[in-house]
Amino acid sequence: QVQLVESGGGLVQAGGSLRLSCAASGRTFSTKFMAWFRQAPGKEREFVAQVLWSGGDPYYAGSVKGRFTISRDYARNTLYLQMNNLKPEDTAVYVCAHMPPLKTTYEYWGQGTQVTVSS
């Protein structure tokens, strides 16, 4: 089992920045990918960014590429999402997710943190 707890959400004006954190605990030594997803009201959950836990180039959705940066602190078992130049359409609940080794889907999910961008 892996437990994920997000923090760092809030209300920000368009053009502003926020940094989200996701603290992982439990069987964190067994991690392949970690990722951020988001879900806006009335919309389906969408992929934002992912990173290979052992290292390597991250991957971003086109809508956030160049504005968001995903990173991880291996020693602290913490995932981050630096969000710059935020837009009202970035408003959503942001959720982190964990993919165990030998899996091809994200198996563990956090509760999420709300990000609201005002125009």
Side-chain angles (χ1 to χ4, degrees):
Q1 291 282 345
V2 174
Q3 295 79 43
L4 304 171
V5 179
E6 302 94 337
S7 61
L11 173 64
V12 64
Q13 289 188 332
S17 298
L18 282 174
R19 188 194 196 204
L20 306 183
S21 299
C22 173
S25 59
R27 295 177 63 88
T28 56
F29 58 85
S30 182
T31 301
K32 184 164 70 173
F33 283 100
M34 287 194 71
W36 288 97
F37 289 76
R38 66 186 182 185
Q39 187 165 18
K43 295 187 177 181
E44 293 188 355
R45 183 171 61 200
E46 67 170 340
F47 169 83
V48 175
Q50 73 176 21
V51 64
L52 183 65
W53 198 244
S54 60
D57 291 335
Y59 180 76
Y60 298 94
S63 58
V64 307
K65 194 171 185 179
R67 300 188 297 122
F68 291 11
T69 302
I70 188 171
S71 62
R72 88 277 190 272
D73 186 323
Y74 193 87
R76 295 173 184 257
N77 290 320
T78 302
L79 182 72
Y80 301 100
L81 185 68
Q82 177 67 43
M83 305 185 294
N84 298 327
N85 190 22
L86 282 159
K87 304 176 181 180
E89 51 264 42
D90 294 318
T91 295
V93 175
Y94 284 72
V95 182
C96 69
H98 173 281
M99 183 187 298
L102 306 180
K103 298 288 187 180
T104 58
T105 58
Y106 286 94
E107 301 283 320
Y108 299 100
W109 300 82
Q111 293 295 312
T113 184
Q114 176 71 46
V115 172
T116 304
V117 185
S118 63
S119 56

